[in-house]
Amino acid sequence: MDILSGLIGGFGVILTPANLYYCFLGSLVGTLIGVLPGIGPLATLSLLLPFTFNLPAVSAIVMLAAIFYGAMYGGSTTSILVNIPGEAASVITCLDGYQMARQGKAGRALGIAALGSFFAGTLSTAALTLFSPVLVAFALRFGPPEYFALMALGFVITLFMVAGSTLKAVVVLALGVFFSTIGLDIVTGKERFTFGLIEISGGFELVAVIMGLFGVSEILLNMEKMAKGEFFKKRLGSLLPTRADWRASGGPILRGSLLGFGLGVLPGGGPTTASFFSYAVERRVSKEPQRFGAGAIEGVAGPEAANNAAVGGSLIPLLSLGLPSNAVTALLLGALIIQGVQPGPMLMTQRPDIYWGVIASLYVGNVMLLVLNLPLVGLWVQLLKLPYWILFPNILLLAVVGTYSAGHSFFDVWVMIAFGMVGYALRKLDYEPAPFVLALVLGPQLEQALRQSLIMSEGSVSIFFTRPLTAVLLVLAAALVALLIVGVWSRRGLSRRLTQALKESSR
Amino acid sequence: MKRLLAIAGLLLVFGVLPAMAESEAEIKARINALKPADFPTQPIEFVVVYPAGGGMDVTARLLAKYVEKYTEQRIIVLNKVGGAGLVGNAYVATQAKADGYTVGVLSDGSWTDALLKAPGKWTQKNFQPLAYLNYEPRTWIVSTSGPFANKSTREIVEHAKQNPGKVKVAITPGLSGEWLAEQIEGLSGAKLIKVPFQGGAPAITALLGGHIDVAGVYYSEYQGHLAAGKVRVIGVASDRRLASMPQVPTLNEALGAKDLVWEVWRYAATPRGAPEERRKYLAAALEAALRDPGLIAEYAKKGAITERKYASVDEVEAAMDLLYERARNFFAKTGRLK
């Protein structure tokens, strides 16, 4: 009953007017920066960090954590409304969310994103409360070979994600992998493909790439449509998910929560990876995968649940091991250290107020975010009424500001514009750019894990088959590839059925 | 003897005590007297070349907090991240304006980058030091649940010599952990498996999970695990033992060597050529911050050692020159520099 008394103590810490205020403030700021394209939690936290110096440690961490998960709530908004992700973890939400908006279901998509986020956030907090010590032990079993297998599985899964041609997905993925190798070699420290440009010696800034591929290219595409006068008619529709939406979303939210939490716990995982995995899984288990990419609510519910659950998961290695699993939790770690708190195995006993206070704040924060976000759905949907000649220049402005603030480098703004052109070309040619982002995120991790493993085994590939966890994951990946090949084989039959289904649905 | 004591006493009363007793207001007034009329009119930027939340970042943010206290000027910590520090170092060395608004909170990595990654583009002379901050020696640690839980450095190195390829050491490529492992290989003839990690945190995770045997990391990175008894420190890459763990030998002692000294050496600098009166003002503010017992305590808590002092900026610069030469010689000897 240590857990129960700890949690009650945590609520005691958090349910004071001051701490509730900071939790609310964090949730609000998080939602706003999640909504603004380009401006992500990382840039915001590093800007706000100095303001927390004079707060008590608990208040500071509660507020900063609320910004992090608040951003996951808000991130889906622009993905759904204008096809431009608010941050990396919402890239995948564009695929179906935007299609739903085009069909007049924007409110339903936003509603399910908020509710799904709430359930996932609460579920993952419960898991964090109950299973933290067990999960730490499990996460530690992941060494370089296990990460390699997990990342390999991630790449294979991406191929199931995209609606169109698998070959095109492979091309985009390969392009992403190539771009992920730009920068310093992780073993030798030598520069690769940088042509001596110091600005890209660390690789391309992820925010710049995302804002270019999705934001700038979307604006270009829309300008073209406006010029041709083929813009879609705006319909607002119902604001809340229907009962049918709920029935369709229950499974995805549950699966997304589990997946997101699990990936969040692993150092190196995180919200972005989790959202991609969830989308691929939903498309795979769906009876009608052809609906994905054409406005399937499962494609919104799953990933949005996953990215929120991942936040809860990623707090486990942070609080219990003092190990950040991504850049945002690294900043939270820094904030704790500046406050004189050393996260790690002793935190729970030495500073129970912080450990349980943060956990309790997650329950409270999720409720606040739900209350905050549901009424906002109506407001956000009104944004669609704005004429595009007002909306898009403003989005572009925000994208420039967000990109610049990510690395304080104007070079990144040029990168964004260049990737805008690339994204425009890709989409004109029917290549879905989302796998590019995943490859850029997973590529360096895969390379690192592979090279670490082979150094550990002195070059022998047997290391991938003698470790049970690695072997299982790799066999799973191989089975999926086999499935894919069989699928391509019977593609003919599939495409015939698909056209038939489309005909029926349009009737 | 008595006379000596009396002189010492007099010195204490008339020399040291008044200096120590200088109140916060007096220090502020002294710094303010040095403030140029036209500076600063906008926030001063502390540039950190590593990601937010890391060791350098925390060092800079704590420093900023205390410099703000003494100057009442706004300071912004800017993380110029990328290429394992290269992007930010190049920024301070070659791109930032030398107007006093850019202060690099840097480490010895600023000149090893110049030597190894950007040869010919800049040298340590592009950084004009304002103050020396602190240092932190690299340490070798093992897991208390691993096969080397109770072994000494000498025993582990001996084991690696007898069984080549059996001891896995976590390193970060291009940083001192890698060079330390190489030096130990060189002087003992042992073959270590050097597994590359991007920084200390992932290396410690792998150590705790039993995927590697030894990690060459900093105290601030494993503090919590040491307190919980999950890891044990087996050697310190410094010329003296750490005051916080006097029972742990230096690696030089453990292996009978002389040059196993790898410390992160942290300093603040402007790009060379910033106006001298602005530099004097900044240097005075930094010095006051670094003497503040609050900052000294906060640095100590995160494992950084502040006891080494330099009397003047010139001495800091002379020390930089020495360390630069030492690094250059090491890189030349190991074939990294042609």
Side-chain angles (χ1 to χ4, degrees), chain B residues 43-54:
Chain B
I44 296 164
E45 286 179 352
F46 277 14
V47 177
V48 176
V49 308
Y50 300 106

Side-chain angles (χ1 to χ4, degrees), chain A residues 225-261:
Chain A
K225 281 185 200 150
M226 272 194 272
K228 288 188 191 159
E230 24 177 81
F231 222 73
F232 76 87
K233 227 178 86 205
K234 289 172 244 169
R235 283 183 295 158
L236 301 184
S238 131
L239 289 187
L240 283 177
T242 62
R243 189 170 295 175
D245 291 341
W246 273 115
R247 220 167 315 147
S249 306
I253 288 176
L254 196 65
R255 280 189 292 272
S257 303
L258 291 175
L259 207 60
F261 183 74

Side-chain angles (χ1 to χ4, degrees), chain B residues 216-227:
Chain B
V217 285
Y218 295 110
Y219 172 67
S220 51
E221 296 168 328
Y222 56 79
Q223 229 172 343
H225 301 288
L226 186 67

Side-chain angles (χ1 to χ4, degrees), chain A residues 311-322:
Chain A
V311 173
S314 67
L315 289 176
I316 289 186
L318 178 72
L319 294 175
S320 312
L321 290 171

